[in-house]
Amino acid sequence: MASVFRSEEMCLSQLFLQVEAAYCCVAELGELGLVQFKDLNVDVNSFQRKFVNEVRRCESMERILRFLEDEIKNEIEVQWLEKSPPTPLPREMISLETVLEKLEGELQEANQNHQALKKSFLELTELKYLLKKTQDFFETETNLPDDFFTEDTSGLLELRAMPAYMAGKLGFTAGVINRERMASFERLLWRVCRGNIYLKFSEMDTVLEDPVTDIVMHKNMFIIFYQGEQLRQKIRKICEGFRATIYPCPEPAAERKEMLAGINTRLEDLVTVITQTESHRQSLLQEAAANWHSWVVKVQKMKAIYHILNMCNIDVTQQCIIAEIWFPVADTGAHQEGVGARGCELSGSSMAPILTAVQSKTAPPTFNRTNKFTAGFQNIVDAYGVGNYREINPAPYTIITFPFLFAVMFGDCGHGTVMLLAALWMVRNERRFLAQKTDNEMTSILIDGRYLILLMGIFSIYTGFIYNDCFSKAFNIFGSSWSVRPMFRNGTW
Amino acid sequence: MTAHSFALVIVFTTFWGLIGIAGPWFVPKDPTAGLIITMLVATAVCCYLFWLIAILAQLNPLFGPQLKNETIWYVRFLWE
């Protein structure tokens, strides 16, 4: 007899399933949600069980789905389904695998392309600003005093053809470096080159984004003038050490202008290519986001079914799978119908599965049927310890006594009203809350306890009236029955 | 025990008695009837006992306010 006051009667039975029908029957039992499968292969290593390959495939699909979730989560809102999609058939697994792997490959390729494009965009932008700035550097060189250079070398690098015998020809290196590293870079160059170089730098005003990490960077551009090959090598090594990017900057002004024009056109093209890549990636993600939740649920269901099938005994000679299940006696009819009719018609097998009752040596599991209202209270009672088989269940009494004792301790009708309103709001919106999966443990505990909080609020209002306490201030509705007269009469007046 | 408080006790006893004893007869006969009856009776018992203890304790207090003679005189003539 099913009753809320005692845990239910359970019976153990053996289920003989055909190999083809096994998957579908287990799926049906899963949807019904009223059986507990006994693990018949306890001493078998999990890597030696029969369906370990399928479980592995499901896990690799889950990995791809987690990767998709990371990509999608920052950009697009995922649509949560209210109803779970039905369990997929085994042959759907292959098509799902191919779809997911293709999506993963395309997305990774799109990401790599995007990064490479952003890197070249960054380089071209830096080169453009460098070219503009070096124009100024070279022009100020012509204004240096004559005794700085040898003989008639004012405007050293500018507009004059240099005779090859000019021993004092200055070479230069132009590049870009992070702003934080600028000071130590300067100091090291001074020490290493013993002051024989001339460094000029200026800050770059535009803000640049690092292609890999998307962090904003501030950079300075510099130009170093030096004499001789050895100094050139040293400067190059130091620049590599400080991760400053060196750009080949042509000396004559005309070439520089040409280079600048070329860079501008390339930058425009690159911007269009980047926007197109970005939109392609977004469309991929949109398509993935639309189906993501249903894929996740399907993969979870498949993996669960294969875990259960791993627990069953495979009898190869008779071509059938033997499972031992515990279920409440009250649900026998639902099982016959679910397993027998729907399971085997979905798999298309002719033989119906056979259910036989078996005596058990171990104690049956304790099962207390709950609905959405009693589930919270049953959880509290089970937290103190699950009862024995067919033991009396304290949960129906706990539904009232637990909130009542809370109210005796709380006893404030103002705060009780606040609790009641909050609980009513949670109960009104419970379908929306239950469909969303929250990672926050605190809110999920609160939402699971909405009926508990509702009852606590109602009782708190009642005890608050008796304690005359509202929002921690005393109130006086009925007046007092105390009078001072008895004290007056007994006094010495 | 004054007449006023006696009337109150009668009122509340009948109120919670109706909920706890007569209420179960009116519960519809669906499968959750046992649970609803348990909840009604438990609520009636807990709340009635709580109220009863509170009012009985106030009817026979252990001690009252500790006032000085001057305060008693003022309260007697200013409040009443």
Side-chain angles (χ1 to χ4, degrees):
Chain A
M1 193 232 3
S3 159
V4 75
F5 297 103
R6 284 178 87 169
S7 74
E8 300 207 6
E9 260 182 36
M10 308 287 278
C11 77
L12 178 66
S13 69
Q14 270 187 342
L15 196 56
F16 290 88
L17 299 163
Q18 275 195 313
V19 177
E20 307 92 46
Y23 183 95
C24 297
C25 291
V26 170
E28 273 308 312
L29 287 175
E31 296 281 344
L32 281 176
L34 288 167
V35 270
Q36 178 181 325
F37 280 84
K38 212 162 131 169
D39 191 358
L40 296 171
N41 299 327
V42 187
D43 43 356
V44 177
N45 191 352
S46 56
F47 293 107
Q48 290 166 356
R49 302 207 186 189
K50 183 152 188 274
F51 294 95
V52 69
N53 280 330
E54 280 81 0
V55 173
R56 211 173 273 156
R57 282 160 72 185
C58 288
E59 283 186 354
S60 72
M61 281 198 278
E62 281 184 344
R63 181 191 57 81
I64 297 179
L65 285 168
R66 273 197 298 269
F67 165 68
L68 284 175
E69 183 187 7
D70 277 339
E71 293 288 322
I72 292 175
K73 149 171 81 164
N74 300 331
E75 309 182 23
I76 306 178
E77 179 82 24
V78 176
Q79 185 77 325
W80 287 103
L81 300 172
E82 283 251 347
K83 222 168 71 79
S84 297
T87 320
L89 298 169
R91 53 181 172 269
E92 282 181 33
M93 176 147 98
I94 305 171
S95 63
L96 198 57
E97 266 182 334
T98 42
V99 164
L100 284 176
E101 279 171 12
K102 183 162 113 21
L103 202 57
E104 184 195 16
E106 280 180 11
L107 207 56
Q108 275 182 338
E109 200 187 310
N111 278 348
Q112 277 174 357
N113 287 344
H114 190 68
Q115 265 188 25
L117 286 171
K118 280 185 87 166
K119 201 150 118 33
S120 40
F121 181 77
L122 182 74
E123 284 176 6
L124 284 177
T125 323
E126 287 177 355
L127 188 50
K128 182 172 104 171
Y129 282 101
L130 192 63
L131 283 177
K132 278 200 202 147
K133 272 290 176 175
T134 50
Q135 192 78 17
D136 304 333
F137 286 164
F138 285 133
E139 273 165 19
T140 55
E141 295 308 307
T142 63
N143 300 332
L144 283 173
D146 276 321
D147 51 359
F148 190 83
F149 296 120
T150 58
E151 299 178 52
D152 55 333
T153 53
S154 64
L156 190 63
L157 298 156
E158 183 74 309
L159 296 175
R160 291 243 196 126
M162 286 297 112
Y165 61 79
M166 186 58 76
K169 175 175 159 72
L170 285 183
F172 71 95
T173 307
V176 176
I177 188 176
N178 277 347
R179 207 169 281 178
E180 301 93 51
R181 299 218 178 103
M182 191 70 214
S184 40
F185 181 60
E186 253 190 283
R187 223 174 313 136
L188 189 60
L189 272 176
W190 179 262
R191 290 206 188 122
V192 167
C193 308
R194 284 176 222 157
N196 286 330
I197 56 162
Y198 178 59
L199 168 75
K200 208 157 189 282
F201 69 91
S202 81
E203 296 190 347
M204 233 159 88
D205 298 324
T206 50
V207 159
L208 298 166
E209 260 186 29
D210 186 26
V212 177
T213 53
D214 277 344
I215 307 176
V216 166
M217 300 187 296
H218 296 282
K219 290 201 165 179
N220 286 355
M221 47 192 146
F222 60 88
I223 181 163
I224 308 175
F225 294 95
Y226 53 82
Q227 188 180 32
E229 184 59 28
Q230 286 195 345
L231 275 182
R232 186 169 89 89
Q233 298 290 355
K234 282 187 195 168
I235 289 173
R236 221 189 51 188
K237 288 264 162 58
I238 294 176
C239 286
E240 272 173 29
F242 275 86
R243 269 188 288 251
T245 15
I246 298 182
Y247 291 103
C249 215
E251 291 180 25
E255 269 189 41
R256 275 210 297 275
K257 285 205 177 62
E258 222 179 279
M259 203 176 184
L260 195 59
I263 287 179
N264 277 331
T265 43
R266 274 170 69 192
L267 269 178
E268 282 168 17
D269 291 339
L270 208 55
V271 164
T272 36
V273 173
I274 287 183
T275 40
Q276 277 183 356
T277 321
E278 182 69 20
S279 63
H280 172 62
R281 184 167 170 266
Q282 285 287 351
S283 66
L284 274 181
L285 285 180
Q286 287 278 6
E287 178 198 325
N291 296 327
W292 183 79
H293 186 57
S294 83
W295 283 337
V296 164
V297 175
K298 282 186 179 175
V299 169
Q300 273 180 343
K301 286 190 175 182
M302 277 199 283
K303 192 170 164 201
I305 293 177
Y306 283 118
H307 268 307
I308 299 287
L309 286 176
N310 272 336
M311 290 206 263
C312 308
N313 232 339
I314 315 288
D315 197 359
V316 195
T317 54
Q318 289 161 352
Q319 289 291 309
C320 71
I321 294 184
I322 307 176
E324 274 188 24
I325 50 176
W326 285 107
F327 61 88
V329 169
D331 289 330
T332 322
H335 283 300
Q336 296 282 17
E337 184 201 312
V339 170
R342 269 175 301 169
C344 78
E345 88 180 43
L346 268 181
S347 65
S349 97
S350 49
M351 205 176 84
I354 309 170
L355 205 64
T356 59
V358 160
Q359 296 298 327
S360 96
K361 303 172 206 69
T362 57
T366 310
F367 176 62
N368 289 307
R369 203 178 296 265
T370 53
N371 54 28
K372 69 180 179 185
F373 177 70
T374 55
F377 303 100
Q378 189 71 51
N379 256 334
I380 295 177
V381 169
D382 286 343
Y384 285 93
V386 181
N388 291 327
Y389 178 58
R390 292 295 277 164
E391 193 179 355
I392 187 170
N393 182 17
Y397 311 104
T398 311
I399 295 179
I400 294 295
T401 56
F402 188 96
F404 178 73
L405 286 175
F406 170 85
V408 169
M409 293 187 273
F410 191 65
D412 186 332
C413 53
H415 291 123
T417 322
V418 171
M419 275 177 81
L420 180 65
L421 292 175
L424 278 176
W425 172 75
M426 280 197 284
V427 170
R428 285 292 303 272
N429 296 328
E430 65 183 359
R431 224 187 286 143
R432 184 165 58 94
F433 284 130
L434 289 176
Q436 281 176 356
K437 186 176 73 150
T438 22
D439 292 328
N440 191 351
E441 208 180 297
M442 282 304 305
T443 48
S444 68
I445 289 180
L446 277 177
I447 289 170
D448 283 339
R450 57 196 182 279
Y451 290 106
L452 177 68
I453 299 179
L454 184 75
L455 285 177
M456 292 200 294
I458 295 176
F459 281 115
S460 297
I461 297 178
Y462 176 73
T463 57
F465 267 118
I466 297 187
Y467 287 151
N468 289 339
D469 189 9
C470 181
F471 286 118
S472 304
K473 307 279 297 167
F475 60 85
N476 192 353
I477 304 184
F478 301 107
S480 177
S481 300
W482 176 80
S483 156
V484 81
R485 282 179 192 264
M487 294 177 82
F488 191 70
R489 273 188 232 115
N490 291 338
T492 55
W493 296 101
Chain B
M1 195 144 95
T2 65
H4 180 65
S5 54
F6 191 65
L8 265 178
V9 170
I10 298 283
V11 165
F12 274 91
T13 310
T14 44
F15 174 68
W16 286 116
L18 273 175
I19 293 185
I21 302 176
W25 294 105
F26 295 101
V27 174
K29 292 275 186 289
D30 55 355
T32 59
L35 186 67
I36 296 181
I37 293 175
T38 312
M39 282 170 68
L40 277 175
V41 174
T43 313
V45 167
C46 289
C47 292
Y48 175 61
L49 266 183
F50 184 64
W51 171 84
L52 189 69
I53 291 172
I55 194 168
L56 288 179
Q58 289 170 7
L59 285 178
N60 289 313
L62 290 172
F63 59 87
Q66 309 290 296
L67 300 175
K68 292 200 291 235
N69 278 343
E70 220 173 276
T71 323
I72 296 177
W73 199 89
Y74 272 113
V75 170
R76 163 73 180 88
F77 285 108
L78 290 178
W79 283 9
E80 294 174 24

